[in-house]
Every structure is written in C-alpha cells, then in structure tokens.
Amino acid sequence: MLAGRRYRLEFDFGQRLFAERLGGICRSVWNTGLEQRRAYRRRGAFIGYAEQCRQLAEAKNDPDCAWLAEAPAQVIQQTLKDLDEACRKHGTWKVRWKVRARWRPSFRFPTAQQIPVERV
C-alpha cells in the first residue's frame, strides 16, 4: 500500500512567491486542459493525459509560453493527471474550473526527492 504524507510548510517571502507562482501555473494548466478536453468533446473526439503531456512539452518550447518552463515538469504533469482522473470520474462537463476567487494555490510533487526538507 502506498502512503502519502502531508506537511504544513512555512515559507519565507521568496519561497512564498515561488509557491504562489507554481500554484498559478497549475491553475492555468488545469483550466487550459479542461477547455481543450471540452473542445474535443464538442467535436466528438477524445484527448487524454498522454496527448496533453506531449502538447505541454511542445508548449514549453514556444516563446509565448516560456512561463511554463518555470515550473518543474512533474508538478505540471501531476496537475494533468489530476484533471484526467477528475474527468474520468465525473465527466468532462461536470469538472469545475479553478477560479482564482475560490481557489487556494496548490500543487504536488509526486517524488520526495524534488523537495529538500530541513527540520526546524
């Protein structure tokens, strides 16, 4: 059985800005991915996690989307996995947008090696 752990982190000012930036990028990827899935469904087609990840890798190389490169790939991929799971579980049309007013910035690192932890 896999077990996850949750930690409450206290950031300094620079870390807080970076975490909010990561959260904003994840929110944007979620909303863009959801809109893309809905557009495909309107046409009677399907797009899944693998295709969206491939397109995301291409978008990171686009100069207009250079801000995507600021976030670690695993964080963005985890957001797309969460979107894929939500769409499979509830259907594309019942999944909600992540609106800034009612959403707290959040993101997940799937591997512990990504985060150096210092016990205080």
Side-chain angles (χ1 to χ4, degrees):
M1 172 190 271
L2 296 176
R5 292 183 173 88
R6 286 186 177 199
Y7 295 98
R8 182 181 172 107
L9 302 175
E10 296 198 17
F11 298 131
D12 64 19
F13 183 72
Q15 291 170 331
R16 180 174 288 131
L17 289 178
F18 181 68
E20 287 175 2
R21 181 82 173 142
L22 277 182
I25 290 170
C26 290
R27 181 175 59 88
S28 178
V29 167
W30 175 281
N31 289 340
T32 303
L34 181 58
E35 176 58 34
Q36 186 181 36
R37 284 174 179 256
R38 288 180 176 178
Y40 269 73
R41 296 296 292 162
R42 282 187 208 105
R43 293 192 314 243
F46 174 77
I47 187 168
Y49 166 74
E51 178 63 21
Q52 284 187 315
C53 277
R54 188 186 64 71
Q55 291 180 8
L56 179 66
E58 291 174 4
K60 280 184 152 186
N61 295 328
D62 184 9
D64 294 333
C65 299
W67 52 272
L68 282 171
E70 295 176 22
Q74 295 82 8
V75 172
I76 297 175
Q77 290 168 358
Q78 193 65 46
T79 300
L80 287 177
K81 281 183 182 178
D82 294 342
L83 175 63
D84 187 58
E85 184 179 338
C87 287
R88 287 182 191 277
K89 193 176 200 179
H90 303 291
T92 304
W93 299 105
K94 291 186 180 178
V95 175
R96 298 180 84 178
W97 299 98
K98 293 196 182 262
V99 180
R100 187 177 206 164
R102 65 172 188 244
W103 174 76
R104 291 186 316 180
S106 64
F107 53 89
R108 291 188 307 165
F109 284 94
T111 57
Q113 293 85 8
Q114 296 287 327
I115 306 173
V117 176
E118 179 182 322
R119 195 172 286 241
V120 182

